[in-house]
Amino acid sequence: MSDDITTERAEMFPLEIRQAVGAFEKENAKAVIATLLEEGPKSFTELKDELELYSQQLTNALDPLKTSGMIRKRAADADEDEYEAYYEISEFGSRFVHCLFESLGSVDSFDMKGEPYEKVENYQDRRTGEDLIVEGYHLRPVSDTESEEAPLPK
């Protein structure tokens, strides 16, 4: 195949999926995702210490995860928080990883703790830097009759 055809075929996958898959290229990024899924939001310092990484190694893992929308950085909730900001799995990141595990029949490897999904706000196109918002990954409200028929998706 020529490079043009290869590029055209590769771009048949949505940008969000290409970026999410690309974010998993590094072991440190996978370790960050697993840690945040298992333990919840963590500060930069907490992640660095727990994973025994240098600051630059962690930054190199976090950047593609943020760009792809797999994780997000949020300001601390209160003045008494020890850290100013925390990293956490985005709704898209949680659903993406759970779909991967579900395809292997091992979705229970990470527990979502029954928390509702949040709005995905941090997709970025790596080439243009433009923010992309994908509405299709949000948990929709379920009526009482629907909730009795089938459980909410994980």
Side-chain angles (χ1 to χ4, degrees):
M1 282 188 176
S2 75
D3 287 342
D4 291 339
I5 293 172
T6 302
T7 300
E8 181 182 320
R9 294 282 169 90
E11 289 179 353
M12 292 173 76
F13 284 90
L15 175 64
E16 297 82 11
I17 292 175
R18 293 193 318 264
Q19 287 181 335
V21 169
F24 281 100
E25 290 176 354
K26 298 186 179 189
E27 290 299 312
N28 293 341
K30 290 185 278 258
V32 167
I33 290 287
T35 300
L36 295 176
L37 282 167
E38 281 286 326
E39 300 176 16
K42 297 270 184 194
S43 71
F44 185 92
T45 302
E46 290 171 323
L47 283 169
K48 184 174 77 72
D49 292 347
E50 185 166 332
L51 297 174
E52 299 178 353
L53 298 173
Y54 294 111
S55 294
Q56 190 59 50
Q57 289 175 306
L58 182 55
T59 298
N60 291 342
L62 292 171
D63 285 347
L65 292 171
K66 287 187 296 185
T67 299
S68 68
M70 296 291 292
I71 65 171
R72 70 184 189 118
K73 182 178 180 180
R74 68 165 172 80
D77 294 333
D79 292 334
E80 64 265 1
D81 275 341
E82 185 177 351
Y83 302 100
E84 292 179 14
Y86 292 87
Y87 293 92
E88 60 190 8
I89 298 293
S90 68
E91 172 202 348
F92 172 71
S94 178
R95 294 183 75 127
F96 188 85
V97 171
H98 278 84
C99 283
L100 293 175
F101 277 97
E102 208 169 80
S103 71
L104 297 173
S106 58
V107 73
D108 58 352
S109 296
F110 294 106
D111 181 20
M112 289 181 53
K113 300 172 182 65
E115 297 175 10
Y117 297 120
E118 300 173 285
K119 184 171 178 171
V120 176
E121 299 182 55
N122 58 340
Y123 290 116
Q124 288 183 333
D125 184 322
R126 287 185 184 183
R127 286 178 271 175
T128 66
E130 294 178 23
D131 290 338
L132 303 172
I133 302 298
V134 179
E135 298 293 335
Y137 298 109
H138 305 289
L139 182 63
R140 63 180 175 78
V142 178
S143 69
D144 290 337
T145 56
E146 272 185 308
S147 64
E148 293 171 6
E149 295 169 9
L152 292 174
K154 289 189 176 189

Short mmCIF file of all heavy atoms in Angstrom, two decimals, residues 74-140:
data_model
loop_
_atom_site.label_atom_id
_atom_site.label_comp_id
_atom_site.label_asym_id
_atom_site.label_seq_id
_atom_site.Cartn_x
_atom_site.Cartn_y
_atom_site.Cartn_z
N ARG A 74 -7.92 18.45 37.34
CA ARG A 74 -8.90 19.35 37.93
C ARG A 74 -8.29 20.03 39.15
O ARG A 74 -7.41 19.48 39.81
CB ARG A 74 -10.18 18.62 38.31
CG ARG A 74 -10.02 17.64 39.44
CD ARG A 74 -11.35 17.21 40.04
NE ARG A 74 -11.18 16.14 40.98
CZ ARG A 74 -10.78 16.30 42.24
NH1 ARG A 74 -10.52 17.48 42.71
NH2 ARG A 74 -10.65 15.26 43.04
N ALA A 75 -8.76 21.22 39.39
CA ALA A 75 -8.30 21.96 40.57
C ALA A 75 -8.84 21.29 41.82
O ALA A 75 -9.92 20.68 41.81
CB ALA A 75 -8.79 23.40 40.49
N ALA A 76 -8.12 21.42 42.90
CA ALA A 76 -8.55 20.86 44.18
C ALA A 76 -9.84 21.54 44.62
O ALA A 76 -10.09 22.70 44.31
CB ALA A 76 -7.46 21.05 45.23
N ASP A 77 -10.67 20.81 45.36
CA ASP A 77 -11.98 21.29 45.77
C ASP A 77 -11.95 22.32 46.89
O ASP A 77 -12.75 23.23 46.93
CB ASP A 77 -12.86 20.12 46.21
CG ASP A 77 -13.17 19.19 45.06
OD1 ASP A 77 -13.19 19.65 43.90
OD2 ASP A 77 -13.40 18.01 45.32
N ALA A 78 -11.04 22.19 47.81
CA ALA A 78 -11.08 23.05 48.99
C ALA A 78 -9.69 23.56 49.35
O ALA A 78 -8.68 23.01 48.92
CB ALA A 78 -11.66 22.28 50.18
N ASP A 79 -9.66 24.62 50.14
CA ASP A 79 -8.39 25.20 50.56
C ASP A 79 -7.57 24.25 51.41
O ASP A 79 -6.34 24.35 51.45
CB ASP A 79 -8.65 26.49 51.36
CG ASP A 79 -9.21 27.60 50.49
OD1 ASP A 79 -8.96 27.56 49.26
OD2 ASP A 79 -9.89 28.48 51.02
N GLU A 80 -8.21 23.34 52.10
CA GLU A 80 -7.47 22.45 52.98
C GLU A 80 -6.83 21.27 52.24
O GLU A 80 -6.12 20.48 52.84
CB GLU A 80 -8.35 21.93 54.12
CG GLU A 80 -9.51 21.07 53.69
CD GLU A 80 -10.82 21.84 53.53
OE1 GLU A 80 -10.82 23.06 53.72
OE2 GLU A 80 -11.82 21.21 53.19
N ASP A 81 -7.08 21.14 50.94
CA ASP A 81 -6.42 20.08 50.17
C ASP A 81 -4.91 20.28 50.18
O ASP A 81 -4.43 21.41 50.08
CB ASP A 81 -6.91 20.06 48.72
CG ASP A 81 -8.18 19.25 48.55
OD1 ASP A 81 -8.48 18.43 49.42
OD2 ASP A 81 -8.87 19.44 47.53
N GLU A 82 -4.20 19.19 50.29
CA GLU A 82 -2.75 19.25 50.33
C GLU A 82 -2.16 19.69 48.99
O GLU A 82 -1.12 20.32 48.93
CB GLU A 82 -2.20 17.87 50.72
CG GLU A 82 -0.72 17.84 50.90
CD GLU A 82 -0.22 16.48 51.36
OE1 GLU A 82 -1.04 15.61 51.71
OE2 GLU A 82 1.00 16.30 51.37
N TYR A 83 -2.84 19.34 47.90
CA TYR A 83 -2.34 19.64 46.55
C TYR A 83 -3.30 20.58 45.83
O TYR A 83 -4.49 20.59 46.11
CB TYR A 83 -2.16 18.35 45.76
CG TYR A 83 -1.21 17.39 46.43
CD1 TYR A 83 -1.69 16.31 47.17
CD2 TYR A 83 0.16 17.59 46.36
CE1 TYR A 83 -0.81 15.44 47.80
CE2 TYR A 83 1.04 16.73 47.00
CZ TYR A 83 0.55 15.65 47.72
OH TYR A 83 1.41 14.80 48.34
N GLU A 84 -2.78 21.32 44.86
CA GLU A 84 -3.60 22.29 44.12
C GLU A 84 -4.45 21.63 43.04
O GLU A 84 -5.50 22.14 42.69
CB GLU A 84 -2.70 23.34 43.47
CG GLU A 84 -2.01 24.24 44.46
CD GLU A 84 -1.12 25.26 43.77
OE1 GLU A 84 -1.24 25.45 42.54
OE2 GLU A 84 -0.30 25.87 44.48
N ALA A 85 -3.96 20.51 42.49
CA ALA A 85 -4.67 19.88 41.38
C ALA A 85 -4.53 18.36 41.47
O ALA A 85 -3.60 17.85 42.09
CB ALA A 85 -4.11 20.38 40.05
N TYR A 86 -5.47 17.70 40.82
CA TYR A 86 -5.50 16.24 40.80
C TYR A 86 -5.76 15.75 39.37
O TYR A 86 -6.45 16.40 38.60
CB TYR A 86 -6.59 15.70 41.73
CG TYR A 86 -6.29 15.96 43.18
CD1 TYR A 86 -6.65 17.15 43.79
CD2 TYR A 86 -5.60 15.01 43.93
CE1 TYR A 86 -6.34 17.40 45.12
CE2 TYR A 86 -5.30 15.25 45.26
CZ TYR A 86 -5.66 16.44 45.85
OH TYR A 86 -5.35 16.68 47.16
N TYR A 87 -5.23 14.59 39.06
CA TYR A 87 -5.50 13.91 37.80
C TYR A 87 -6.52 12.82 38.08
O TYR A 87 -6.46 12.15 39.10
CB TYR A 87 -4.22 13.30 37.22
CG TYR A 87 -3.25 14.36 36.79
CD1 TYR A 87 -2.27 14.82 37.65
CD2 TYR A 87 -3.34 14.92 35.52
CE1 TYR A 87 -1.39 15.82 37.27
CE2 TYR A 87 -2.45 15.91 35.13
CZ TYR A 87 -1.49 16.36 36.00
OH TYR A 87 -0.64 17.34 35.62
N GLU A 88 -7.45 12.66 37.15
CA GLU A 88 -8.45 11.61 37.28
C GLU A 88 -8.85 11.11 35.91
O GLU A 88 -8.63 11.78 34.90
CB GLU A 88 -9.67 12.14 38.04
CG GLU A 88 -10.35 13.31 37.39
CD GLU A 88 -11.40 13.96 38.29
OE1 GLU A 88 -11.49 13.62 39.47
OE2 GLU A 88 -12.12 14.83 37.77
N ILE A 89 -9.40 9.91 35.90
CA ILE A 89 -9.87 9.32 34.65
C ILE A 89 -11.08 10.11 34.17
O ILE A 89 -11.98 10.41 34.95
CB ILE A 89 -10.27 7.85 34.87
CG1 ILE A 89 -9.08 7.02 35.33
CG2 ILE A 89 -10.90 7.25 33.62
CD1 ILE A 89 -8.00 6.86 34.31
N SER A 90 -11.11 10.42 32.88
CA SER A 90 -12.29 11.07 32.31
C SER A 90 -13.37 10.02 32.05
O SER A 90 -13.10 8.80 32.11
CB SER A 90 -11.93 11.76 30.99
OG SER A 90 -11.61 10.78 30.01
N GLU A 91 -14.53 10.47 31.73
CA GLU A 91 -15.60 9.53 31.37
C GLU A 91 -15.17 8.69 30.18
O GLU A 91 -15.32 7.47 30.17
CB GLU A 91 -16.87 10.30 31.04
CG GLU A 91 -17.95 9.39 30.48
CD GLU A 91 -18.97 10.13 29.67
OE1 GLU A 91 -19.02 11.35 29.68
OE2 GLU A 91 -19.74 9.44 28.97
N PHE A 92 -14.63 9.36 29.16
CA PHE A 92 -14.18 8.65 27.97
C PHE A 92 -13.11 7.62 28.33
O PHE A 92 -13.15 6.48 27.88
CB PHE A 92 -13.65 9.63 26.93
CG PHE A 92 -12.99 8.97 25.75
CD1 PHE A 92 -13.74 8.28 24.82
CD2 PHE A 92 -11.61 9.02 25.58
CE1 PHE A 92 -13.13 7.66 23.73
CE2 PHE A 92 -11.00 8.42 24.51
CZ PHE A 92 -11.76 7.73 23.58
N GLY A 93 -12.14 8.01 29.15
CA GLY A 93 -11.07 7.09 29.54
C GLY A 93 -11.61 5.87 30.27
O GLY A 93 -11.20 4.74 30.00
N SER A 94 -12.52 6.09 31.18
CA SER A 94 -13.11 4.98 31.92
C SER A 94 -13.87 4.04 30.98
O SER A 94 -13.69 2.82 31.04
CB SER A 94 -14.06 5.53 32.98
OG SER A 94 -14.68 4.48 33.67
N ARG A 95 -14.67 4.61 30.12
CA ARG A 95 -15.45 3.77 29.20
C ARG A 95 -14.55 3.05 28.21
O ARG A 95 -14.77 1.88 27.89
CB ARG A 95 -16.50 4.61 28.50
CG ARG A 95 -17.55 5.13 29.48
CD ARG A 95 -18.62 5.89 28.77
NE ARG A 95 -19.47 4.91 28.10
CZ ARG A 95 -20.77 4.84 28.24
NH1 ARG A 95 -21.38 5.70 29.01
NH2 ARG A 95 -21.47 3.94 27.63
N PHE A 96 -13.53 3.74 27.74
CA PHE A 96 -12.61 3.15 26.78
C PHE A 96 -11.91 1.92 27.38
O PHE A 96 -11.92 0.84 26.80
CB PHE A 96 -11.57 4.19 26.34
CG PHE A 96 -10.69 3.75 25.21
CD1 PHE A 96 -11.11 3.89 23.90
CD2 PHE A 96 -9.45 3.20 25.46
CE1 PHE A 96 -10.29 3.48 22.85
CE2 PHE A 96 -8.63 2.80 24.42
CZ PHE A 96 -9.05 2.94 23.11
N VAL A 97 -11.35 2.09 28.58
CA VAL A 97 -10.64 0.98 29.22
C VAL A 97 -11.61 -0.14 29.57
O VAL A 97 -11.31 -1.32 29.36
CB VAL A 97 -9.89 1.47 30.47
CG1 VAL A 97 -9.33 0.30 31.27
CG2 VAL A 97 -8.76 2.42 30.07
N HIS A 98 -12.79 0.20 30.07
CA HIS A 98 -13.76 -0.84 30.40
C HIS A 98 -14.20 -1.61 29.16
O HIS A 98 -14.40 -2.83 29.23
CB HIS A 98 -14.95 -0.25 31.16
CG HIS A 98 -14.66 -0.08 32.61
ND1 HIS A 98 -14.01 1.01 33.11
CD2 HIS A 98 -14.90 -0.90 33.66
CE1 HIS A 98 -13.87 0.87 34.41
NE2 HIS A 98 -14.39 -0.27 34.78
N CYS A 99 -14.34 -0.94 28.04
CA CYS A 99 -14.69 -1.65 26.80
C CYS A 99 -13.58 -2.61 26.40
O CYS A 99 -13.85 -3.73 25.95
CB CYS A 99 -14.95 -0.66 25.67
SG CYS A 99 -16.55 0.14 25.78
N LEU A 100 -12.34 -2.19 26.57
CA LEU A 100 -11.22 -3.09 26.26
C LEU A 100 -11.25 -4.32 27.17
O LEU A 100 -11.12 -5.46 26.69
CB LEU A 100 -9.88 -2.36 26.43
CG LEU A 100 -9.61 -1.24 25.44
CD1 LEU A 100 -8.31 -0.52 25.80
CD2 LEU A 100 -9.55 -1.75 24.02
N PHE A 101 -11.43 -4.11 28.47
CA PHE A 101 -11.48 -5.23 29.39
C PHE A 101 -12.71 -6.10 29.14
O PHE A 101 -12.64 -7.32 29.23
CB PHE A 101 -11.46 -4.75 30.85
CG PHE A 101 -10.07 -4.48 31.35
CD1 PHE A 101 -9.57 -3.20 31.33
CD2 PHE A 101 -9.28 -5.51 31.82
CE1 PHE A 101 -8.29 -2.94 31.77
CE2 PHE A 101 -8.00 -5.26 32.27
CZ PHE A 101 -7.50 -3.97 32.25
N GLU A 102 -13.82 -5.47 28.84
CA GLU A 102 -15.05 -6.21 28.57
C GLU A 102 -14.86 -7.15 27.38
O GLU A 102 -15.38 -8.26 27.38
CB GLU A 102 -16.18 -5.22 28.31
CG GLU A 102 -17.54 -5.74 28.68
CD GLU A 102 -18.54 -4.61 28.63
OE1 GLU A 102 -18.98 -4.26 27.52
OE2 GLU A 102 -18.88 -4.08 29.70
N SER A 103 -14.12 -6.69 26.38
CA SER A 103 -13.90 -7.53 25.20
C SER A 103 -13.10 -8.78 25.54
O SER A 103 -13.17 -9.78 24.85
CB SER A 103 -13.20 -6.74 24.10
OG SER A 103 -11.86 -6.48 24.44
N LEU A 104 -12.36 -8.72 26.66
CA LEU A 104 -11.61 -9.89 27.12
C LEU A 104 -12.36 -10.67 28.19
O LEU A 104 -11.88 -11.68 28.67
CB LEU A 104 -10.26 -9.44 27.70
CG LEU A 104 -9.31 -8.77 26.75
CD1 LEU A 104 -8.11 -8.23 27.50
CD2 LEU A 104 -8.88 -9.73 25.66
N GLY A 105 -13.51 -10.17 28.59
CA GLY A 105 -14.29 -10.84 29.62
C GLY A 105 -13.78 -10.58 31.02
O GLY A 105 -14.07 -11.33 31.93
N SER A 106 -13.01 -9.48 31.21
CA SER A 106 -12.45 -9.23 32.54
C SER A 106 -12.72 -7.79 32.98
O SER A 106 -11.86 -7.15 33.56
CB SER A 106 -10.94 -9.49 32.53
OG SER A 106 -10.31 -8.68 31.57
N VAL A 107 -13.91 -7.30 32.72
CA VAL A 107 -14.23 -5.91 33.04
C VAL A 107 -14.16 -5.61 34.54
O VAL A 107 -13.98 -4.49 34.94
CB VAL A 107 -15.60 -5.51 32.46
CG1 VAL A 107 -16.72 -6.15 33.24
CG2 VAL A 107 -15.76 -4.01 32.43
N ASP A 108 -14.26 -6.62 35.37
CA ASP A 108 -14.25 -6.37 36.81
C ASP A 108 -12.84 -6.11 37.36
O ASP A 108 -12.65 -5.96 38.56
CB ASP A 108 -14.91 -7.51 37.58
CG ASP A 108 -14.26 -8.86 37.32
OD1 ASP A 108 -13.39 -8.94 36.43
OD2 ASP A 108 -14.62 -9.81 38.01
N SER A 109 -11.85 -6.01 36.47
CA SER A 109 -10.50 -5.72 36.92
C SER A 109 -10.38 -4.33 37.53
O SER A 109 -9.51 -4.08 38.33
CB SER A 109 -9.51 -5.85 35.76
OG SER A 109 -9.48 -7.17 35.31
N PHE A 110 -11.22 -3.40 37.11
CA PHE A 110 -11.24 -2.06 37.67
C PHE A 110 -12.66 -1.76 38.09
O PHE A 110 -13.60 -2.00 37.36
CB PHE A 110 -10.78 -1.02 36.65
CG PHE A 110 -9.35 -1.16 36.25
CD1 PHE A 110 -9.01 -1.69 35.02
CD2 PHE A 110 -8.34 -0.79 37.12
CE1 PHE A 110 -7.69 -1.84 34.66
CE2 PHE A 110 -7.02 -0.93 36.76
CZ PHE A 110 -6.68 -1.46 35.53
N ASP A 111 -12.82 -1.22 39.27
CA ASP A 111 -14.14 -0.92 39.80
C ASP A 111 -14.44 0.56 39.65
O ASP A 111 -13.67 1.41 40.11
CB ASP A 111 -14.21 -1.32 41.27
CG ASP A 111 -15.58 -1.06 41.88
OD1 ASP A 111 -16.56 -0.95 41.12
OD2 ASP A 111 -15.66 -0.98 43.11
N MET A 112 -15.56 0.90 39.02
CA MET A 112 -15.93 2.30 38.84
C MET A 112 -16.59 2.88 40.08
O MET A 112 -16.91 4.05 40.11
CB MET A 112 -16.84 2.46 37.63
CG MET A 112 -16.12 2.25 36.33
SD MET A 112 -17.18 2.45 34.92
CE MET A 112 -17.90 4.03 35.20
N LYS A 113 -16.84 2.07 41.08
CA LYS A 113 -17.42 2.51 42.35
C LYS A 113 -18.78 3.19 42.17
O LYS A 113 -19.15 4.03 42.96
CB LYS A 113 -16.43 3.43 43.07
CG LYS A 113 -15.12 2.75 43.39
CD LYS A 113 -14.11 3.74 43.91
CE LYS A 113 -12.77 3.11 44.19
NZ LYS A 113 -12.04 2.62 43.08
N GLY A 114 -19.49 2.89 41.11
CA GLY A 114 -20.85 3.39 40.92
C GLY A 114 -20.96 4.88 40.70
O GLY A 114 -22.05 5.43 40.80
N GLU A 115 -19.85 5.55 40.39
CA GLU A 115 -19.91 6.99 40.21
C GLU A 115 -20.49 7.33 38.83
O GLU A 115 -20.26 6.63 37.87
CB GLU A 115 -18.50 7.59 40.33
CG GLU A 115 -17.92 7.39 41.71
CD GLU A 115 -16.48 7.87 41.81
OE1 GLU A 115 -16.00 8.52 40.88
OE2 GLU A 115 -15.86 7.57 42.83
N PRO A 116 -21.26 8.43 38.75
CA PRO A 116 -21.79 8.83 37.45
C PRO A 116 -20.68 9.35 36.55
O PRO A 116 -19.66 9.83 37.04
CB PRO A 116 -22.78 9.95 37.80
CG PRO A 116 -22.28 10.48 39.09
CD PRO A 116 -21.65 9.31 39.82
N TYR A 117 -20.89 9.24 35.27
CA TYR A 117 -19.92 9.77 34.32
C TYR A 117 -19.93 11.28 34.31
O TYR A 117 -20.93 11.91 34.58
CB TYR A 117 -20.24 9.26 32.91
CG TYR A 117 -20.14 7.77 32.79
CD1 TYR A 117 -21.23 7.02 32.42
CD2 TYR A 117 -18.95 7.12 33.04
CE1 TYR A 117 -21.15 5.65 32.31
CE2 TYR A 117 -18.85 5.75 32.92
CZ TYR A 117 -19.95 5.03 32.56
OH TYR A 117 -19.86 3.68 32.46
N GLU A 118 -18.81 11.86 33.95
CA GLU A 118 -18.69 13.30 33.88
C GLU A 118 -18.60 13.74 32.43
O GLU A 118 -18.23 12.96 31.56
CB GLU A 118 -17.43 13.76 34.61
CG GLU A 118 -17.43 13.37 36.06
CD GLU A 118 -16.10 13.68 36.70
OE1 GLU A 118 -15.16 12.93 36.44
OE2 GLU A 118 -16.04 14.67 37.42
N LYS A 119 -18.85 15.01 32.18
CA LYS A 119 -18.74 15.55 30.84
C LYS A 119 -17.28 15.53 30.40
O LYS A 119 -16.40 15.93 31.14
CB LYS A 119 -19.26 16.98 30.79
CG LYS A 119 -19.25 17.54 29.39
CD LYS A 119 -19.94 18.85 29.32
CE LYS A 119 -19.83 19.33 27.89
NZ LYS A 119 -20.62 20.48 27.61
N VAL A 120 -17.06 15.07 29.19
CA VAL A 120 -15.71 15.03 28.64
C VAL A 120 -15.42 16.42 28.06
O VAL A 120 -16.15 16.91 27.22
CB VAL A 120 -15.61 13.97 27.52
CG1 VAL A 120 -14.26 14.00 26.87
CG2 VAL A 120 -15.92 12.61 28.09
N GLU A 121 -14.37 17.05 28.54
CA GLU A 121 -14.08 18.41 28.10
C GLU A 121 -12.67 18.60 27.57
O GLU A 121 -12.33 19.69 27.15
CB GLU A 121 -14.29 19.38 29.27
CG GLU A 121 -15.71 19.36 29.78
CD GLU A 121 -15.91 20.37 30.89
OE1 GLU A 121 -15.62 21.53 30.66
OE2 GLU A 121 -16.36 19.95 31.96
N ASN A 122 -11.86 17.59 27.57
CA ASN A 122 -10.46 17.85 27.27
C ASN A 122 -9.90 17.12 26.06
O ASN A 122 -8.73 16.82 26.02
CB ASN A 122 -9.60 17.56 28.50
CG ASN A 122 -9.74 16.15 28.99
OD1 ASN A 122 -10.72 15.48 28.69
ND2 ASN A 122 -8.79 15.68 29.75
N TYR A 123 -10.71 16.83 25.07
CA TYR A 123 -10.16 16.28 23.84
C TYR A 123 -9.42 17.37 23.10
O TYR A 123 -9.87 18.50 23.03
CB TYR A 123 -11.28 15.79 22.91
CG TYR A 123 -11.98 14.56 23.39
CD1 TYR A 123 -13.31 14.59 23.74
CD2 TYR A 123 -11.30 13.36 23.50
CE1 TYR A 123 -13.95 13.46 24.17
CE2 TYR A 123 -11.93 12.22 23.94
CZ TYR A 123 -13.26 12.28 24.27
OH TYR A 123 -13.89 11.17 24.69
N GLN A 124 -8.29 17.03 22.51
CA GLN A 124 -7.55 17.97 21.70
C GLN A 124 -7.03 17.26 20.47
O GLN A 124 -6.55 16.14 20.54
CB GLN A 124 -6.36 18.57 22.45
CG GLN A 124 -6.74 19.54 23.52
CD GLN A 124 -5.50 20.13 24.17
OE1 GLN A 124 -4.45 19.51 24.20
NE2 GLN A 124 -5.65 21.32 24.68
N ASP A 125 -7.10 17.95 19.34
CA ASP A 125 -6.51 17.46 18.11
C ASP A 125 -5.02 17.77 18.20
O ASP A 125 -4.63 18.92 18.33
CB ASP A 125 -7.14 18.17 16.92
CG ASP A 125 -6.64 17.64 15.59
OD1 ASP A 125 -5.42 17.33 15.48
OD2 ASP A 125 -7.44 17.56 14.65
N ARG A 126 -4.18 16.74 18.13
CA ARG A 126 -2.74 16.96 18.28
C ARG A 126 -2.17 17.87 17.21
O ARG A 126 -1.24 18.62 17.45
CB ARG A 126 -2.00 15.63 18.22
CG ARG A 126 -2.16 14.80 19.45
CD ARG A 126 -1.31 13.58 19.36
NE ARG A 126 -1.56 12.74 20.53
CZ ARG A 126 -0.93 11.64 20.78
NH1 ARG A 126 -0.01 11.21 19.97
NH2 ARG A 126 -1.21 10.94 21.85
N ARG A 127 -2.72 17.80 15.99
CA ARG A 127 -2.18 18.61 14.90
C ARG A 127 -2.57 20.07 15.02
O ARG A 127 -1.76 20.95 14.81
CB ARG A 127 -2.63 18.05 13.56
CG ARG A 127 -1.89 16.77 13.20
CD ARG A 127 -2.40 16.23 11.92
NE ARG A 127 -3.52 15.35 12.29
CZ ARG A 127 -4.31 14.75 11.44
NH1 ARG A 127 -4.16 14.93 10.18
NH2 ARG A 127 -5.26 13.96 11.86
N THR A 128 -3.83 20.34 15.34
CA THR A 128 -4.29 21.73 15.35
C THR A 128 -4.37 22.33 16.74
O THR A 128 -4.42 23.54 16.89
CB THR A 128 -5.70 21.83 14.72
OG1 THR A 128 -6.62 21.12 15.55
CG2 THR A 128 -5.71 21.27 13.30
N GLY A 129 -4.41 21.48 17.77
CA GLY A 129 -4.54 21.98 19.13
C GLY A 129 -5.96 22.38 19.48
O GLY A 129 -6.24 22.83 20.58
N GLU A 130 -6.89 22.20 18.54
CA GLU A 130 -8.29 22.57 18.78
C GLU A 130 -8.94 21.58 19.74
O GLU A 130 -8.67 20.39 19.71
CB GLU A 130 -9.08 22.57 17.47
CG GLU A 130 -8.64 23.64 16.50
CD GLU A 130 -9.43 23.56 15.20
OE1 GLU A 130 -10.54 23.01 15.18
OE2 GLU A 130 -8.90 24.05 14.19
N ASP A 131 -9.79 22.12 20.60
CA ASP A 131 -10.56 21.27 21.50
C ASP A 131 -11.68 20.61 20.73
O ASP A 131 -12.35 21.24 19.91
CB ASP A 131 -11.16 22.09 22.65
CG ASP A 131 -10.10 22.57 23.61
OD1 ASP A 131 -9.01 21.97 23.64
OD2 ASP A 131 -10.36 23.55 24.32
N LEU A 132 -11.88 19.34 21.00
CA LEU A 132 -12.97 18.58 20.39
C LEU A 132 -13.88 18.10 21.50
O LEU A 132 -13.41 17.58 22.50
CB LEU A 132 -12.43 17.38 19.62
CG LEU A 132 -11.42 17.67 18.53
CD1 LEU A 132 -10.84 16.37 18.00
CD2 LEU A 132 -12.05 18.45 17.41
N ILE A 133 -15.16 18.26 21.33
CA ILE A 133 -16.11 17.76 22.31
C ILE A 133 -16.90 16.63 21.65
O ILE A 133 -17.45 16.80 20.58
CB ILE A 133 -17.09 18.87 22.79
CG1 ILE A 133 -16.31 20.03 23.38
CG2 ILE A 133 -18.10 18.31 23.77
CD1 ILE A 133 -15.49 19.71 24.61
N VAL A 134 -16.91 15.49 22.29
CA VAL A 134 -17.62 14.34 21.77
C VAL A 134 -18.78 14.06 22.70
O VAL A 134 -18.58 13.70 23.85
CB VAL A 134 -16.69 13.11 21.67
CG1 VAL A 134 -17.46 11.91 21.16
CG2 VAL A 134 -15.52 13.43 20.77
N GLU A 135 -19.98 14.28 22.24
CA GLU A 135 -21.15 14.14 23.09
C GLU A 135 -21.59 12.69 23.26
O GLU A 135 -22.29 12.36 24.18
CB GLU A 135 -22.33 14.94 22.50
CG GLU A 135 -22.07 16.43 22.42
CD GLU A 135 -21.95 17.09 23.77
OE1 GLU A 135 -22.50 16.57 24.75
OE2 GLU A 135 -21.29 18.13 23.85
N GLY A 136 -21.18 11.80 22.39
CA GLY A 136 -21.69 10.44 22.39
C GLY A 136 -21.25 9.55 23.53
O GLY A 136 -21.75 8.46 23.66
N TYR A 137 -20.32 9.97 24.35
CA TYR A 137 -19.81 9.10 25.39
C TYR A 137 -20.40 9.36 26.76
O TYR A 137 -19.95 8.83 27.73
CB TYR A 137 -18.28 9.25 25.48
CG TYR A 137 -17.60 8.84 24.22
CD1 TYR A 137 -17.01 9.79 23.41
CD2 TYR A 137 -17.55 7.52 23.84
CE1 TYR A 137 -16.38 9.43 22.24
CE2 TYR A 137 -16.92 7.14 22.67
CZ TYR A 137 -16.34 8.11 21.87
OH TYR A 137 -15.72 7.74 20.73
N HIS A 138 -21.41 10.19 26.84
CA HIS A 138 -21.96 10.57 28.13
C HIS A 138 -23.06 9.62 28.56
O HIS A 138 -23.85 9.15 27.76
CB HIS A 138 -22.51 12.00 28.08
CG HIS A 138 -21.48 12.97 27.61
ND1 HIS A 138 -20.41 13.33 28.37
CD2 HIS A 138 -21.33 13.61 26.44
CE1 HIS A 138 -19.66 14.16 27.70
NE2 HIS A 138 -20.19 14.34 26.52
N LEU A 139 -23.11 9.36 29.83
CA LEU A 139 -24.17 8.54 30.39
C LEU A 139 -25.47 9.31 30.33
O LEU A 139 -25.55 10.45 30.77
CB LEU A 139 -23.83 8.20 31.84
CG LEU A 139 -24.80 7.29 32.58
CD1 LEU A 139 -24.83 5.92 31.90
CD2 LEU A 139 -24.37 7.14 34.01
N ARG A 140 -26.48 8.73 29.74
CA ARG A 140 -27.76 9.43 29.63
C ARG A 140 -28.63 9.05 30.82
O ARG A 140 -28.49 7.97 31.39
CB ARG A 140 -28.46 9.08 28.33
CG ARG A 140 -28.82 7.61 28.22
CD ARG A 140 -29.52 7.32 26.90
NE ARG A 140 -29.75 5.91 26.76
CZ ARG A 140 -30.70 5.22 27.35
NH1 ARG A 140 -31.54 5.82 28.15
NH2 ARG A 140 -30.84 3.93 27.16
#
